[in-house]
Amino acid sequence: MSSAQPQPALDDQPEAAGSDAEASKPAQAFSPPAQGSAYAPARAPARHAHKFGGSSLADAGRYRTAAALLDDGAPQRVVVVSAMQGITDALVALVASARAGRDWAPAWSQLRQRHLDTADALDSQHQHGAKAAIEAELETLRAALESLAHAADPAHGEALPGLGEVLSSHLMHAALGGDAAGWTRLDAREVLVVHPGEMGVGVDWALSRARLADWRKQHADGDIVVTGFVARDGQGRDTTLGRNGSDYSAAIFANLFDADALTIWTDVDGVLSADPRLVPDAVCLPTMSYAEACELAYFGAKVLHPQTLAPVQQRGIPLRIRNTRNPQAPGTLISLVSEPDAAPVKGLSLVHDLAVLELIGNGMVGVPGTAERLFGALRSAGVSVTMISQGSSEHSICCVVRADQAARGRDAIVAAFADAMADGQAQEVTVTPDICVLAAVGDGMVGTPGVAAQLFDGLAKARINLRAIAQGAGERNISVAIAARDATRALRAAHSAFWLSPHCLSIGLIGPGKVGRALLAQLHEAQSRFQRDSRHNKVDLRLRAIADSRRMQLAPRAMAFDDAHEALTADGVETLDLERFAAHVRAEHIPHALIVDCSGSDAVAAFYPQWIAAGIHIVTPSKHAGSGPLARYEAIREAERSGGQFRYEATVGAGLPVIQTLRSLLDTGDELTEVEGILSGTLAWLFNRYDGQTAFSELVREAHALGYTEPDPRDDLSGTDVARKLVILAREAGRALSLDQIEVESLVPEALRSVSKEEFFERLHELDAPLQQRFDAARAAGLSLRYLARLDREGRASVGVVSPPPGHAALHGALTDNLIQFRTRRYADNPLVVQGPGAGPDVTAAGVFGDLLTIAQTLGARA
């Protein structure tokens, strides 16, 4: 695979000042301020440049706040300002209205009044001349707007949107105390000379430096307020540096003034690891290298404009991004080399509204000049290429372009390869629309094995298909083309894959009964524990849906675990629709989805195959899926090959690691020869207590009163539940066993199986005589009775009352313990025994919770 990625439009490199040694010296040290303090570098730089964005200059109060931030101890300060928030857009709209002949006067008046009101607030005594200067600038604007409707030159008025920065510079000058406080105002148009270029606006550095030198001879050498965004071209005409050009202006003037540092003040704490609107857990990066910032800027990071970095990078000027609304935050320092980070990837970004162009041809293999021909055609058609990818077979070459240029690009390639297509050497040119490019950026990627694997694994677990892949030889950027519909999920999955944020699971709970509520309580307790313990901070469990047998509540945001069950009686509750429930849990903006089924409903289990195939993980204590129809069980296992995971540890032994132990034995190459054990806590209690002195029916009544049995004890006494657990273990061991293949002994006489529950309790004594006879026979032989499940080497399965030999593990269990004995090739003479409480809401919920965390860990979380 070969790849190429365009660099930001940085245009001409600034002309170095001073000697070659000075121009090439490394970035100077620039220590971040102490947490909780105002900006406090390790030493006072000779000159410190600042730039304030429009969001930091929204009104008079924000100008005052900005002015207060400039007390950094530097002998000289240079402040570059953007227009007031929203003013550039207003000026663009004014120009458009004037050109179209629409009435622009009301909007002009509104703009005028906003600036005059701000000037009055900042310069109430008119000491600094802000109001008069603004009135004059706005009258000039009025005259220009009046002339636009009749202007023959379409370029006439293009520089007018830059007036916002001019007006803003007057306001900042006043906020800082004006000339009396040692501040001079510099209109950048007097100094800065630029020219258009293919890669953006370029600076005439020699002429700009000369003009600045002349300007400085005429003004006191103090602090300076500079207009951002505006400049003049070589013919002396007003122009601008393009949208977001004020950042570029700041970098240019930091270079021109030989500043030792540049701070760009904005409304975020610094450069974030991803777009916080898409990844709420995005983290602020403390340091970045110029190369990292350049990559992220190109790939859509909103804090920096791609052109901003070139002027400061050439002179090694440290650039810091800080927040005017949170000045205590240290921000992000961008310099020659960033500090080492635990993750190789520093940040991720998305580029939207793209398409994939692909040229396919068997005759292209080994033909020189194919790529040149393709990209030459795109250049001639004015199509910008974002990403390139070609397989080593040379059978095809593809590139990612802007969506609005895709059709033009396709036509250009078809025309360029018309002869090859006519000869059959090239087959087709395809366009795949609705594409995004996800870029992973970081200096730590250089020379670090496994970074691509980590990215691809994270995306694969979130079920993201990659359409094209590219990585430059510099190794600082891996870019992948993906479907636009997967963009948010992919970004979050990649962010989690590199430990930049917790692995997020969207969870739906079906069945908030005893086990379901116990699970919610455990999740609530764990959530606070995860927050306290940094070792567990990489899993984010969000309950977004809950349902019972009739109703469901779908929440756009996470529900609180501690009172989630009450949502089924709250506003917005809906009739249960399992397909809609699952679709909501499988949110496109959250990487992973999981449904916990505590319902015990076979109808719910019927949905498992399609949910798992759709990438939804399933955790359940219900035995219906594991012991139900074999075809459905096999469909679930097949779906797991390319979809979600199916975990059901709590179906056998509640919270005991029964299935986990069996799986570990088999996965390590052991051979199962026999499973035997007590798989019902109810039956364990009954036979541990049964001594022939107390009637068995009385023990059943006592167990029912203590809550050890199901509401109808026949559900326990029938042996069906035990048989289901044995089916689950058999299938886990690779045996295609079904429930009807198990020999089940029911303790319920035939005559009592179909009567009402009330009649059953009235006739409960009919259980006593048969069991008394068996007990007496066993005691005569020196044995006891237990209700055991058995699976032998040949696959024969049975469930019923037996008399284990002396020393059998089943004879030594606690009252309600489950006990499972595995006899294998390794554990032939002394079987492996798993024993402990196998019933109850808390231990069952713990088994479910354990499965949930196991899935989180397989997705990469540290839970």
Side-chain angles (χ1 to χ4, degrees):
M1 176 185 72
S2 62
S3 65
Q5 297 159 359
Q7 294 299 310
L10 300 179
D11 211 279
D12 300 2
Q13 290 298 308
E15 179 179 294
S19 67
D20 293 340
E22 180 185 355
S24 61
K25 66 183 179 181
Q28 299 177 40
F30 190 66
S31 303
Q35 183 69 25
S37 68
Y39 183 82
R43 61 178 179 81
R47 296 180 182 87
H48 188 178
H50 296 261
K51 183 264 176 180
F52 290 95
S55 60
S56 301
L57 304 174
D59 52 38
R62 300 304 302 158
Y63 276 93
R64 294 191 187 98
T65 298
L69 294 171
L70 296 175
D71 187 15
D72 60 6
Q76 186 185 57
R77 294 160 291 179
V78 176
V79 181
V80 180
V81 293
S82 293
M84 292 180 75
Q85 189 171 40
I87 292 300
T88 301
D89 287 338
L91 287 166
V92 170
L94 273 173
V95 171
S97 295
R99 280 180 175 155
R102 297 190 296 269
D103 184 10
W104 48 265
W108 176 87
S109 296
Q110 186 178 17
L111 182 147
R112 173 180 178 272
Q113 195 60 49
R114 180 180 174 188
H115 282 88
L116 292 179
D117 289 346
T118 306
D120 279 338
L122 296 173
D123 187 14
S124 59
Q125 303 300 316
H126 307 296
Q127 295 174 318
H128 312 303
K131 188 170 184 178
I134 288 172
E135 286 274 27
E137 297 284 3
L138 287 169
E139 285 304 316
T140 301
L141 172 63
R142 180 205 285 271
L145 292 172
E146 289 175 343
S147 67
L148 277 180
H150 311 290
D153 184 359
H156 186 62
E158 284 186 352
L160 290 179
L163 185 61
E165 273 73 8
V166 177
L167 298 170
S168 182
S169 66
H170 289 292
L171 294 172
M172 179 58 85
H173 184 248
L176 290 165
D179 294 341
W183 286 90
T184 305
R185 179 182 163 274
L186 167 61
D187 188 328
R189 293 173 294 186
E190 300 178 43
V191 169
L192 186 56
V193 181
V194 299
H195 56 81
E198 287 189 2
M199 300 180 70
V201 174
V203 178
D204 187 331
W205 290 98
L207 184 54
S208 298
R209 281 191 179 278
R211 291 191 174 184
L212 178 61
D214 290 341
W215 184 90
R216 293 177 73 174
K217 290 176 183 177
Q218 302 171 33
H219 297 83
D221 191 21
D223 299 319
I224 303 168
V225 177
V226 185
T227 58
F229 191 39
V230 294
R232 287 197 173 110
D233 62 19
Q235 287 72 47
R237 295 172 298 193
D238 288 358
T239 188
T240 66
L241 302 183
R243 297 306 295 265
N244 299 310
S246 291
D247 283 353
Y248 189 25
S249 297
I252 292 168
F253 279 100
N255 186 299
L256 291 174
F257 278 100
D258 301 323
D260 289 285
L262 167 62
T263 299
I264 294 181
W265 294 91
T266 180
D267 56 0
V268 294
D269 284 345
V271 181
L272 302 181
S273 56
D275 186 339
R277 296 168 299 179
L278 303 179
V279 183
D281 303 303
V283 296
C284 184
L285 305 174
T287 65
M288 298 180 71
S289 68
Y290 295 127
E292 289 173 326
C294 187
E295 292 278 6
L296 278 177
Y298 175 77
F299 279 95
K302 302 301 182 185
V303 175
L304 284 173
H305 187 274
Q307 283 182 306
T308 300
L309 294 163
V312 292
Q313 183 176 2
Q314 193 274 339
R315 296 190 61 81
I317 300 171
L319 184 158
R320 188 180 292 277
I321 309 294
R322 296 187 65 200
N323 189 352
T324 55
R325 298 179 185 274
N326 184 22
Q328 291 76 23
T332 299
L333 176 65
I334 302 171
S335 57
L336 186 63
V337 179
S338 66
E339 294 178 0
D341 198 88
V345 168
K346 189 68 67 77
L348 299 116
S349 192
L350 285 171
V351 182
H352 298 271
D353 301 321
L354 302 173
V356 172
L357 279 176
E358 184 174 21
L359 171 65
I360 302 171
N362 295 328
M364 300 190 312
V365 179
V367 177
T370 301
E372 178 186 13
R373 192 172 173 186
L374 184 148
F375 294 113
L378 293 177
R379 183 185 187 282
S380 298
V383 176
S384 176
V385 176
T386 297
M387 189 178 110
I388 303 165
S389 180
Q390 181 179 18
S392 59
S393 68
E394 300 183 69
H395 170 72
S396 69
I397 182 169
C398 76
C399 58
V400 179
V401 301
R402 283 171 37 189
D404 59 356
Q405 298 178 348
R408 187 164 77 244
R410 181 188 180 280
D411 292 344
I413 296 172
V414 168
F417 286 86
D419 55 342
M421 297 182 79
D423 294 339
Q425 294 175 317
Q427 277 69 56
E428 61 178 332
V429 180
T430 63
V431 176
T432 304
D434 301 321
I435 293 292
C436 277
V437 167
L438 171 65
V441 173
D443 285 346
M445 297 163 59
V446 179
T448 302
V451 177
Q454 197 170 352
L455 173 64
F456 299 156
D457 183 59
L459 295 175
K461 286 173 178 174
R463 294 175 58 78
I464 306 297
N465 184 45
L466 308 183
R467 299 304 305 265
I469 303 167
Q471 180 177 11
E475 297 187 77
R476 286 187 176 88
N477 182 315
I478 301 176
S479 299
V480 295
I482 58 176
R485 65 178 179 274
D486 295 331
T488 300
R489 193 165 81 255
L491 181 63
R492 291 190 175 191
H495 204 262
S496 299
F498 291 106
W499 306 103
L500 298 173
S501 65
H503 287 259
C504 183
L505 277 78
S506 172
I507 299 174
L509 172 65
I510 303 175
K514 290 182 179 180
V515 173
R517 291 193 186 191
L519 175 64
L520 290 172
Q522 291 176 15
L523 288 168
H524 174 66
E525 187 277 331
Q527 190 175 48
S528 60
R529 186 176 72 250
F530 289 172
Q531 292 171 352
R532 293 193 306 269
D533 190 343
S534 62
R535 295 172 301 173
H536 302 288
N537 65 352
K538 293 303 180 183
V539 59
D540 180 4
L541 307 177
R542 300 185 187 180
L543 181 66
R544 300 182 60 255
I546 191 168
D548 59 18
S549 60
R550 298 177 292 108
R551 304 161 298 179
M552 66 181 185
Q553 182 72 269
L554 309 181
R557 298 183 180 276
M559 304 179 191
F561 290 122
D562 55 344
D563 59 0
H565 63 279
E566 297 177 2
L568 291 174
T569 58
D571 293 341
V573 70
E574 305 177 38
T575 301
L576 178 62
D577 179 340
L578 288 173
E579 291 189 355
R580 178 165 152 70
F581 181 92
H584 179 79
V585 174
R586 187 73 175 100
E588 287 302 317
H589 65 284
I590 299 180
H592 310 292
L594 185 146
I595 290 177
V596 179
D597 176 20
C598 296
S599 69
S601 167
D602 192 69
V604 175
F607 281 87
Y608 288 6
Q610 71 183 65
W611 288 349
I612 293 171
I616 301 174
H617 309 292
I618 304 293
V619 174
T620 183
S622 170
K623 291 171 279 293
H624 285 282
S627 65
L630 183 60
R632 183 172 68 192
Y633 176 82
E634 291 174 341
I636 290 172
R637 289 308 194 191
E638 182 63 29
E640 280 190 289
R641 294 177 182 273
S642 59
Q645 301 178 46
F646 175 47
R647 294 277 176 171
Y648 52 102
E649 181 68 75
T651 58
V652 181
L656 297 178
V658 178
I659 294 174
Q660 174 185 331
T661 300
L662 176 56
R663 186 180 293 123
S664 177
L665 290 171
L666 299 176
D667 289 348
T668 57
D670 206 350
E671 179 184 352
L672 183 70
T673 57
E674 183 184 82
V675 177
E676 190 175 49
I678 297 172
L679 301 181
S680 166
T682 302
L683 293 172
W685 187 89
L686 289 171
F687 281 95
N688 278 322
R689 289 286 308 278
Y690 188 41
D691 58 2
Q693 304 300 312
T694 303
F696 192 80
S697 59
E698 291 304 312
L699 293 176
V700 172
R701 293 183 191 278
E702 184 180 351
H704 183 265
L706 292 171
Y708 290 161
T709 73
E710 295 293 333
D712 188 336
R714 286 174 293 186
D715 293 339
D716 300 294
L717 300 174
S718 68
T720 302
D721 182 67
V722 175
R724 287 188 180 277
K725 295 175 182 178
L726 190 59
V727 168
I728 291 170
L729 291 176
R731 289 177 177 177
E732 191 64 40
R735 292 170 168 79
L737 193 68
S738 293
L739 193 60
D740 57 7
Q741 295 175 284
I742 297 182
E743 182 183 336
V744 181
E745 177 185 0
S746 174
L747 300 180
V748 182
E750 183 72 33
L752 298 183
R753 294 176 187 174
S754 58
V755 302
S756 67
K757 184 170 71 173
E758 292 74 15
E759 184 178 348
F760 169 73
F761 272 106
E762 291 174 2
R763 300 171 58 185
L764 193 59
H765 62 275
E766 295 180 24
L767 277 65
D768 294 336
L771 281 170
Q772 186 69 48
Q773 292 177 4
R774 296 182 69 171
F775 179 83
D776 291 341
R779 183 169 56 179
L783 302 174
S784 300
L785 299 181
R786 294 294 185 270
Y787 196 91
L788 295 185
R790 281 180 168 176
L791 176 69
D792 65 18
R793 181 190 295 270
E794 284 71 35
R796 292 188 295 264
S798 63
V799 170
V801 178
V802 299
S803 296
H808 194 284
L811 300 174
H812 306 290
L815 283 179
T816 60
D817 274 2
N818 275 205
L819 184 148
I820 300 90
Q821 177 176 281
F822 295 112
R823 199 176 294 276
T824 70
R825 178 168 47 81
R826 295 175 187 155
Y827 295 91
D829 299 326
N830 188 15
L832 175 64
V833 176
V834 178
Q835 179 180 347
D842 288 335
V843 293
T844 303
V848 173
F849 195 4
D851 275 347
L852 192 157
L853 292 181
T854 296
I855 289 176
Q857 288 168 341
T858 65
L859 299 175
R862 289 182 294 191

